């Protein structure tokens, strides 16, 4: 006979919802609305950052900024995967904070690119708007996690 195990003793990955990952469930909905997928949004954002970095001029400044932008611009996507696999609330919060820190760094590099007029204003504007929204999302997640940890 199988012994019942309380939920606290059973490991459940953070990424589960309805039996699978949201990204793997076509047309997933919650209360009649499409299910929000932060990972997909981060993936699209990262693609935009990589394309922007590739479009920077081949100058000393352009190459330096491009390298920095690629480093911090690809980090939130990778670290979000780490957030989903966090082993404790403390680990979860730490990895959320890393994502937020990297997003804030991206924001600064994008502002510098704009000030130096190194990229097309339209592409830069959209990327800047998206990073500001992602910063708000991750900052709210950090605040909520900190509040719930008490």
């Amino acid at each position: 006979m199988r012994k019942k195990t309380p939920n606290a003793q059973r490991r459940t990955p953070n990424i589960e919802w309805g039996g699978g990952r949201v990204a793997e469930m076509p047309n997933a909905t919650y209360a009649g609305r499409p299910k929000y997928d932060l990972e997909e949004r981060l993936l699209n954002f990262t693609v935009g950052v990589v394309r922007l970095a590739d479009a920077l001029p081949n100058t000393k400044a352009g190459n330096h900024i491009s390298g920095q932008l690629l480093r911090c611009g690809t980090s939130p996507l990778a670290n979000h995967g780490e957030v989903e696999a966090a082993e404790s609330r403390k680990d979860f919060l730490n990895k959320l904070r890393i994502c937020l820190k990297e997003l804030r760094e991206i924001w600064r590099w994008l502002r510098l690119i704009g000030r130096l007029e190194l990229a097309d204003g339209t592409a830069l504007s959209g990327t800047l708007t998206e990073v500001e929204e992602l910063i708000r999302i991750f900052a709210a997640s950090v605040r909520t996690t900190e509040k719930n940890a008490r």
Side-chain angles (χ1 to χ4, degrees), residues 108-129:
R108 284 177 174 82
W109 284 114
L110 292 175
R111 289 188 61 225
L112 178 62
I113 291 167
R115 184 74 51 96
L116 292 171
E117 299 177 355
L118 295 176
D120 174 52
T122 308
L124 181 62
S125 176
T127 307
L128 197 50
T129 299

Side-chain angles (χ1 to χ4, degrees), residues 3 10 91:
K3 180 182 170 189
R10 202 175 316 147
D91 189 33

Side-chain angles (χ1 to χ4, degrees), residues 88-99:
S88 67
R89 185 176 298 268
K90 185 177 177 182
D91 189 33
F92 179 84
L93 184 57
N94 181 50
K95 289 174 175 154
L96 268 181
R97 286 179 177 146
I98 291 169
C99 288

Side-chain angles (χ1 to χ4, degrees), residues 77-148:
L77 176 65
N79 280 300
H80 183 258
E82 293 295 317
V83 168
E84 290 181 332
E87 296 177 6
S88 67
R89 185 176 298 268
K90 185 177 177 182
D91 189 33
F92 179 84
L93 184 57
N94 181 50
K95 289 174 175 154
L96 268 181
R97 286 179 177 146
I98 291 169
C99 288
L100 180 58
K101 179 181 143 208
E102 295 293 337
L103 288 165
R104 287 179 173 152
E105 183 179 349
I106 297 164
W107 180 77
R108 284 177 174 82
W109 284 114
L110 292 175
R111 289 188 61 225
L112 178 62
I113 291 167
R115 184 74 51 96
L116 292 171
E117 299 177 355
L118 295 176
D120 174 52
T122 308
L124 181 62
S125 176
T127 307
L128 197 50
T129 299
E130 181 65 4
V131 78
E132 288 168 351
E133 290 178 16
L134 288 168
I135 287 169
R136 284 193 290 275
I137 290 167
F138 277 87
S141 295
V142 167
R143 280 192 306 273
T144 301
T145 305
E146 288 172 338
K147 186 178 94 174
N148 292 338

Side-chain angles (χ1 to χ4, degrees), residues 14-126:
N14 294 331
I15 60 174
E16 286 186 4
W17 179 80
R21 292 195 47 172
V22 174
E24 295 169 354
M25 298 186 325
N27 305 317
T29 60
Y30 178 74
R33 294 185 309 248
K35 180 69 175 148
Y36 179 76
D37 188 0
L38 183 57
E39 183 173 346
E40 188 66 25
R41 187 167 178 176
L42 283 167
L43 179 60
N44 291 334
F45 172 72
T46 303
V47 167
V49 168
V50 169
R51 288 184 177 150
L52 179 64
D54 283 345
L56 292 178
N58 190 15
T59 62
K60 280 186 182 181
N63 290 334
H64 173 73
I65 294 169
S66 176
Q68 293 292 331
L69 187 61
L70 283 171
R71 283 180 198 85
C72 63
T74 55
S75 176
L77 176 65
N79 280 300
H80 183 258
E82 293 295 317
V83 168
E84 290 181 332
E87 296 177 6
S88 67
R89 185 176 298 268
K90 185 177 177 182
D91 189 33
F92 179 84
L93 184 57
N94 181 50
K95 289 174 175 154
L96 268 181
R97 286 179 177 146
I98 291 169
C99 288
L100 180 58
K101 179 181 143 208
E102 295 293 337
L103 288 165
R104 287 179 173 152
E105 183 179 349
I106 297 164
W107 180 77
R108 284 177 174 82
W109 284 114
L110 292 175
R111 289 188 61 225
L112 178 62
I113 291 167
R115 184 74 51 96
L116 292 171
E117 299 177 355
L118 295 176
D120 174 52
T122 308
L124 181 62
S125 176

